Amino acid sequence: MTGAREFGIRVNLGQVLQQLLQVLLVGMTIGMMRNVVPALAEAEFGVPRGSFMLLVAFVVAFGFVKGAMNFVAGRLAERIGRRLVLLIGWLVALPIPPLVYWAPSWGWIVLATVLLGINQGLTWSMTQTAKLDLTRADQRGLVIGLNEFAGYVGVAVAGVLTGYAASALGPRAGLLWFGAAVIGLATLLAWLAVAETLPWAQAETKRHATPLAQAARPRYPAGVSDRPSTGEMFALMSWRDRRMAALCQAGLVEKFVDALVWAFWPVYLHQRGVGLPGIGWIVGVYGFTWGAAQFFTGRLSDRLGRHHLNAWGMWVCGAGVALMPFGGSAGWWSASAAIAGLGMAMLYPNLSAAVADIAHPNWRASAIGIYRFWRDLGYGVGALGLGAAAALGGRLESAFWFVAIAMAISGAVLYRWGEETHPRLNPAT
């Protein structure tokens, strides 16, 4: 495995499967905090009813911390390697289940979520980067689709299982034992079974220097240093290259949906009489649809391109969010969740694949890290926005309208500023 650097899913199948198992466990780690904790914020952790800004505080903390750690992870992975960053991320997560179990107040939940943000920023970034190191350019949509499929199936599965565990053992004990098992297993596997993939990225850099590779290059941004500084990379991704800026703003806004699903969907459904297992299943429809459909939408983008799937995904996802408050039954809420999940599946792996398409292997980990910084900052920005919208409107439904409108506008910006990035469909001249 560590001799000649061969690229592709099949020849590196063992490590690709290990990384998929890692991201499944990453998804289960965040999934355990997504249904039980917000639904019982008032009864279990003392959050007053109607305190919308206090309720979203833990999502705001998560978003800003995870965004920052994505930025750090990308730069760090190019210096110390992907595997060590992954392992550090799991070690940081070990205190989360005890913190939730013994939490005397909502402040402890916010602290646990800060650690969760560090964990997610380091681990999810590395599972994606490592698989991109191992695979070919024509498999990027597929491999990111597989990565996000595994991760968000993990989120959905954890939401359902913790709903039942909380009903059987109590919310605190259920989360303690579930979290300890998941995080403990992930840490052990990261230590014993995951290989370092940085040598594959270095081998790809050498391959791009050959004349044959020159003829097949994607449309990389012009005027970038061979070893760009952090400041140069941040400027390139955030405003200097219009395509990268379009992708980053779309990534930021689409996280408004996930902030809504995390902070307000369980509360909204709980207030309408849905029990914890029922909430787990309805929110799980969103996660299962998103996760399963990515298996196909990632591969579809390798054939048809990323750009239109990304823009239309923003609009479809926003429509699913807008539909939810119009109904009053589990069937309606599940259908709305499925539409939102389908839209998310269209855009989520393919925004990342588009960034990877036009990011040079010398600085691809940094580009992905900065994209993920902006994207996951959307948790914090979105949570503040939907908390403010609900407070100003005096009802949870106002947050749904805020998110749906933001998705429509952002999709239009992406459609106008972006372009097709797949090197086969829009190669460099």
Side-chain angles (χ1 to χ4, degrees):
M1 189 70 192
T2 56
R5 307 302 175 191
E6 295 184 273
F7 295 87
I9 293 174
R10 187 177 297 276
V11 295
N12 295 295
L13 185 60
Q15 276 304 304
V16 171
L17 291 175
Q18 283 291 340
Q19 293 288 347
L20 286 172
L21 179 55
Q22 283 287 311
V23 77
L24 176 73
L25 296 169
V26 174
M28 292 177 78
T29 303
I30 187 173
M32 74 178 189
M33 298 285 285
R34 290 178 69 114
N35 294 335
V36 175
V37 170
L40 298 182
E42 179 184 352
E44 191 70 32
F45 302 108
V47 177
R49 188 180 182 91
S51 299
F52 299 120
M53 295 305 293
L54 182 59
L55 180 61
V56 300
F58 77 121
V59 182
V60 172
F62 174 84
F64 283 105
V65 171
K66 188 185 177 193
M69 294 313 298
N70 285 333
F71 184 92
V72 170
R75 300 299 287 175
L76 199 59
E78 289 168 352
R79 291 168 170 79
I80 68 172
R82 285 56 160 144
R83 179 176 172 272
L84 186 53
V85 175
L86 176 70
L87 187 58
I88 293 169
W90 283 121
L91 293 174
V92 169
L94 291 173
I96 294 172
L99 278 172
V100 175
Y101 182 76
W102 279 294
S105 68
W106 192 243
W108 280 48
I109 300 299
V110 174
L111 175 59
T113 312
V114 168
L115 295 180
L116 181 67
I118 297 172
N119 159 261
Q120 296 286 300
L122 296 179
T123 56
W124 208 312
S125 293
M126 288 307 98
T127 62
Q128 186 179 101
T129 300
K131 282 192 283 297
L132 288 170
D133 289 339
L134 294 169
T135 51
R136 302 192 308 267
D138 63 346
Q139 295 176 326
R140 283 182 190 138
L142 173 60
V143 79
I144 295 178
L146 287 170
N147 190 76
E148 304 307 305
F149 160 76
Y152 282 95
V153 164
V155 173
V157 167
V160 173
L161 291 181
T162 53
Y164 285 109
S167 296
L169 304 175
R172 293 173 185 260
L175 292 178
L176 174 67
W177 292 112
F178 181 87
V182 169
I183 296 169
L185 176 62
T187 306
L188 189 65
L189 289 174
W191 179 257
L192 296 176
V194 171
E196 177 55 62
T197 62
L198 182 57
W200 274 260
Q202 294 166 340
E204 186 182 0
T205 298
K206 293 177 182 177
R207 191 176 63 176
H208 271 266
T210 66
L212 180 62
Q214 295 281 352
R217 277 192 172 181
R219 291 180 175 270
Y220 295 135
V224 183
S225 308
D226 288 340
R227 299 290 177 187
S229 67
T230 300
E232 182 181 359
M233 281 302 308
F234 191 81
L236 175 75
M237 295 296 298
S238 303
W239 61 83
R240 211 188 89 194
D241 187 279
R242 191 174 71 172
R243 301 166 302 166
M244 291 294 199
L247 294 166
C248 286
Q249 68 81 30
L252 183 142
V253 174
E254 57 89 0
K255 277 300 177 188
F256 292 11
V257 177
D258 219 28
L260 180 74
V261 171
W262 188 355
F264 280 1
W265 275 21
V267 178
Y268 178 81
L269 295 170
H270 191 62
Q271 289 178 357
R272 278 147 188 79
V274 183
L276 290 177
I279 292 171
W281 279 110
I282 293 170
V283 177
V285 167
Y286 167 76
F288 283 125
T289 304
W290 177 359
Q294 283 178 130
F295 185 82
F296 303 100
T297 57
R299 184 59 175 162
L300 187 64
S301 80
D302 286 332
R303 298 181 179 180
L304 303 181
R306 332 282 193 205
H307 185 56
H308 288 92
L309 274 171
N310 283 331
W312 277 99
M314 298 290 287
W315 296 326
V316 171
C317 187
V321 169
L323 285 171
M324 180 163 279
F326 285 106
S329 67
W332 178 274
W333 293 325
S334 296
S336 302
I339 293 169
L342 176 61
M344 193 63 79
M346 293 167 66
L347 67 93
Y348 201 77
N350 297 321
L351 288 173
S352 294
V355 172
D357 284 338
I358 54 176
H360 193 278
N362 273 350
W363 42 267
R364 182 184 298 140
S366 292
I368 292 170
I370 294 169
Y371 162 72
R372 289 172 66 88
F373 161 78
W374 283 116
R375 189 193 69 188
D376 290 322
L377 198 66
Y379 274 118
V381 175
L384 286 172
L386 62 92
L392 291 172
R395 48 190 294 194
L396 285 175
E397 287 83 351
S398 300
F400 287 76
W401 314 137
F402 164 76
V403 172
I405 292 168
M407 289 291 284
I409 294 171
S410 179
V413 171
L414 176 63
Y415 190 83
R416 180 70 180 85
W417 282 5
E419 68 174 25
E420 182 53 57
T421 59
H422 196 296
R424 176 176 56 81
L425 300 173
N426 190 19
T429 54

